[in-house]
Amino acid sequence: MKHLLAAAMLAATLGVGFVRSAIVTAQAPEPKVILITFDGARTEEIFGGLDVDVLTSTLSEGKKLDDNDTYKRFWAETPEARREKLMPFFWGVLMRQHGSIAGNPRAGSAVTLTNTHRFSYPGYAEVLLGEAHDAEIKSNDPLRNPYVTVLEEVQSRLKLTKAQVAAFTSWSVFNAIVEHQEGSVTVNAGFAPFDSPDPLIQELGRLQRETVTPWSSVRHDIYTFRFAMDHLQRAKPRMLYLALGETDDWAHDGRYDRVLDAYERSDAYLRQLWTWIESEPTYRGQTHILITTDHGRGHTPKDWRDHGAKVEGAQDVWIALVSPGMTRRGEWQQQPPLRTNQIAATLAGWMGIDWRALRPSAGGPISAN
Ligand SMILES: [Zn+2]
């Protein structure tokens, strides 16, 4: 306190800016964690952008690839150029300058699920628990998670408020997935109302119910993202989970054009999120981000729409990491495989919690140095 008083006296002669910077530098950095998932995002699109075989298979009879709008927007000669066209911020900035990504088979890297179901609830549960529970977690029905998640454990162990650990998700079933004990963290899932003092966000809260999707339990990702950003800026949570859904839902519907649109939009959300983090002194240099998916899907034009226990390829996933403590950049090359059951321990570790001390059968944290 004494040195701040001295700083204040000095500031009387030097100007108020000095006091502000003295106070800011006196604050210890406090880790923040952001988990982001793109539902059912295949390694093909993440690492290679437009899959021309899949796009071709969706063209109606007599239509030419060269005349197709999606082809014109996203085609390039190499996988590296195609993925950067699809996700320019993720590949051109985030993975180049700030983080790394595992799971590209062409680079000798793999990430696989440990659960054998290969659909959403078991995938998200594996992410949030650090282990598969195949016998108990085996449907997408909105059944309460039988285990305490990493979000809840961080909230209670660090004695955080409900607002400080928050999940914003496009799919309503996350109400059941993210919490074992209902009401322990903030959850805004599906078409749930969202309160904000901002009139624009209030208007979005109304519009989400009018701009219907083809799916009864999934809203458009834009609402999920905007509500998450509003909460981030207002409540400054220590742990935020953003779960986007459209990469999966359009794929089930066979709309490959809209699948690629969803990747492009998700990339723009990442850019907005990162821009805010960099502009915010309490987040810049203290925020750990993990981006992944709940499952893959089939590798071929015959089964790219599907996933599940019987679909080869649905076990193949990927994990991107952006952390102040990690020096690796770009793609993981020739590395031992990672598994989705390592994510919970990684997130907990960033918050100073040893997840395997709590769950000895969970996967261990990922070290990327
Ligand atoms: Zn799905």
Side-chain angles (χ1 to χ4, degrees):
M1 206 57 213
K2 213 180 213 171
H3 67 280
L4 281 182
L5 202 66
M9 285 164 70
L10 247 177
T13 47
L14 297 177
V16 286
F18 181 84
V19 160
R20 197 177 301 133
S21 63
I23 291 170
V24 167
T25 48
Q27 282 177 346
E30 201 179 45
K32 318 289 186 307
V33 167
I34 300 180
L35 168 67
I36 302 168
T37 50
F38 302 156
D39 197 302
R42 299 197 309 164
T43 53
E44 278 81 355
E45 281 75 29
I46 290 290
F47 294 105
L50 164 68
D51 181 333
V52 76
D53 296 333
V54 167
L55 181 62
T56 304
S57 75
T58 66
L59 297 179
S60 13
E61 188 124 2
K63 296 283 182 195
K64 288 206 187 79
L65 199 55
D66 286 336
D67 301 330
N68 180 273
D69 283 342
T70 302
Y71 181 77
K72 287 185 211 163
R73 275 169 65 200
F74 296 121
W75 174 251
E77 284 300 324
T78 64
E80 291 76 19
R82 285 197 298 279
R83 71 194 187 193
E84 202 162 328
K85 260 193 174 174
L86 187 65
M87 305 184 74
F89 174 74
F90 181 80
W91 282 107
V93 179
L94 202 58
M95 291 299 105
R96 198 160 287 161
Q97 296 171 18
H98 307 288
S100 67
I101 178 166
N104 187 356
R106 283 195 317 274
S109 174
V111 184
T112 51
L113 300 176
T114 64
N115 82 78
T116 60
H117 297 302
R118 306 176 186 174
F119 59 82
S120 285
Y121 195 145
Y124 291 121
E126 185 177 335
V127 166
L128 296 172
L129 301 174
E131 55 190 317
H133 295 279
D134 282 355
E136 293 156 280
I137 300 177
K138 56 186 178 187
S139 98
N140 272 347
D141 295 339
L143 304 168
R144 181 69 43 205
N145 196 326
Y147 299 93
V148 174
T149 68
V150 67
L151 301 178
E152 295 175 283
E153 205 71 73
V154 165
Q155 187 269 334
S156 68
R157 288 191 180 258
L158 300 188
K159 300 187 168 48
L160 302 177
T161 64
K162 184 174 171 173
Q164 285 176 303
V165 179
F168 287 80
T169 76
S170 296
W171 187 33
S172 64
V173 178
F174 274 105
N175 277 314
I177 302 174
V178 299
E179 294 180 303
H180 172 64
Q181 185 68 49
E182 189 174 356
S184 46
V185 304
T186 297
V187 190
N188 184 276
F191 291 89
F194 176 68
D195 275 338
S196 167
D198 182 340
L200 176 60
I201 300 295
Q202 291 168 12
E203 183 63 12
L204 292 177
R206 286 188 286 273
L207 286 172
Q208 66 166 339
R209 298 186 154 276
E210 297 193 27
T211 49
V212 294
T213 63
W215 324 292
S216 56
S217 62
V218 190
R219 69 180 160 202
H220 288 296
D221 287 335
I222 182 62
Y223 299 108
T224 306
F225 175 69
R226 292 297 293 269
F227 299 160
M229 284 304 295
D230 190 74
H231 185 79
L232 183 61
Q233 292 166 356
R234 238 172 264 288
K236 308 274 174 67
R238 294 284 305 279
M239 196 163 187
L240 177 73
Y241 177 21
L242 172 66
L244 303 175
E246 289 189 52
T247 43
D248 181 77
D249 296 297
W250 291 118
H252 284 299
D253 290 359
R255 290 294 303 268
Y256 194 61
D257 55 340
R258 294 204 173 172
V259 169
L260 297 188
D261 288 345
Y263 279 96
E264 189 184 45
R265 280 198 302 276
S266 301
D267 183 69
Y269 303 154
L270 292 180
R271 184 191 297 273
Q272 287 176 54
L273 175 65
W274 182 256
T275 302
W276 183 83
I277 289 169
E278 289 289 274
S279 74
E280 176 55 48
T282 55
Y283 280 70
R284 187 178 55 236
Q286 310 163 41
T287 302
H288 309 262
I289 303 173
L290 190 148
I291 314 172
T292 188
T293 185
D294 54 331
H295 55 74
R297 6 181 36 88
H299 287 307
T300 74
K302 282 197 167 52
D303 57 8
W304 68 277
R305 294 167 62 159
D306 303 322
H307 54 88
K310 296 199 175 85
V311 178
E312 172 52 29
Q315 75 280 10
D316 296 327
V317 292
W318 48 274
I319 297 173
L321 304 142
V322 176
S323 165
M326 291 178 167
T327 53
R328 194 193 294 263
R329 297 291 176 265
E331 285 185 89
W332 288 43
Q333 313 262 354
Q334 311 302 329
Q335 293 289 316
L338 296 180
R339 319 211 69 181
T340 296
N341 69 0
Q342 298 181 262
I343 292 171
T346 305
L347 304 175
W350 282 334
M351 295 299 276
I353 294 170
D354 179 355
W355 189 249
R356 289 233 274 190
L358 305 171
R359 308 287 173 85
S361 47
I366 300 164
S367 65
N369 294 317

